[in-house]
């Protein structure tokens, strides 16, 4: 089994375990070059939207990143740049942080909601104070732990997104 197959299967199992979602009919955006993951999601009935033009050769619908993210129910490979584009109720799976992303000022992944021990950081209400780690993207927003591995964030009136912690 190749690494691409193994990564795709692990990601899907984690998504299903954390969310208990039925993928059939969901609009799933896969950002980056993950053809195996997109193929498996499509086999489960998801409408896959990819941002990599080469994915069109494999039968996937290819859209510009901004357009795809605005339509998505689930975004895999999300970064802080996608936050303003998201629709209400979207589920984000953060992009893997680049090596050395723990340095201040470097691009960090979305949401890192829990500390190393798995508890959300304490906010004023005790329900989580946002992202932890170095300069987390959602650090200014109060995050509410929905359940293990899922943190909800309000982006404005009527707009809430959920961030999955794939380390769970």
């Amino acid at each position: 089994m190749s690494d691409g197959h193994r990564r795709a299967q692990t990601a899907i199992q984690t998504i299903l375990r954390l969310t208990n979602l039925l993928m059939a009919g969901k609009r799933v955006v896969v950002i980056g070059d993950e053809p195996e993951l997109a193929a498996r999601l499509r086999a489960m009935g998801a409408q896959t939207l990819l941002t990599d033009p080469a994915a069109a050769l494999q039968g996937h619908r290819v859209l510009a990143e901004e357009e795809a993210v605005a339509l998505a129910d689930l975004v895999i490979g999300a970064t802080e740049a996608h936050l303003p584009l998201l629709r209400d109720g979207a589920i984000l799976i953060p992009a893997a942080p680049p090596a050395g992303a723990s340095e201040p000022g470097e691009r960090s992944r979305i949401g890192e909601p829990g500390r190393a021990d798995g508890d959300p950081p304490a906010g004023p209400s005790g329900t989580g104070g946002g992202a932890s780690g170095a300069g987390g993207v959602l650090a200014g927003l109060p995050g509410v732990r929905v359940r293990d591995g899922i943190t909800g964030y309000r982006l404005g009136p009527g707009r809430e997104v959920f961030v999955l912690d794939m380390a769970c």
Side-chain angles (χ1 to χ4, degrees), residues 63-155:
L63 292 173
E65 224 173 270
E66 297 80 23
E67 187 179 351
V69 169
L71 296 171
D73 297 313
L74 176 68
V75 181
I76 300 172
T79 65
E80 64 271 13
H82 300 115
L83 289 176
L85 306 171
L86 296 169
R87 53 184 264 179
D88 183 41
I91 299 171
L92 305 178
I93 297 165
S102 61
E103 297 298 318
E106 289 191 36
R107 184 174 223 172
S108 62
R109 63 185 208 186
I110 287 180
E112 302 177 335
R115 296 188 313 250
D117 60 3
D119 292 332
S125 64
T127 58
S132 65
V137 196
L138 301 175
L141 298 173
V144 177
R145 184 174 169 184
V146 176
R147 63 179 189 206
D148 286 344
I150 302 177
T151 305
Y153 293 93
R154 287 218 179 269
L155 298 180

Side-chain angles (χ1 to χ4, degrees), residues 27-55:
R27 287 175 294 224
V28 180
V29 173
V30 179
I31 297 171
D33 184 25
E34 293 288 342
E36 182 62 35
L37 177 60
R40 287 175 185 249
L41 289 166
R42 187 175 58 187
M44 295 173 72
Q47 298 174 24
T48 55
L49 306 169
L50 280 76
T51 60
D52 181 18

Side-chain angles (χ1 to χ4, degrees), residues 12-28:
I12 289 173
Q13 286 176 339
T14 305
I15 293 166
L16 294 176
R17 182 176 49 81
L18 290 174
T19 64
N20 201 25
L21 280 177
L22 179 63
M23 287 294 158
K26 295 285 188 263
R27 287 175 294 224
V28 180

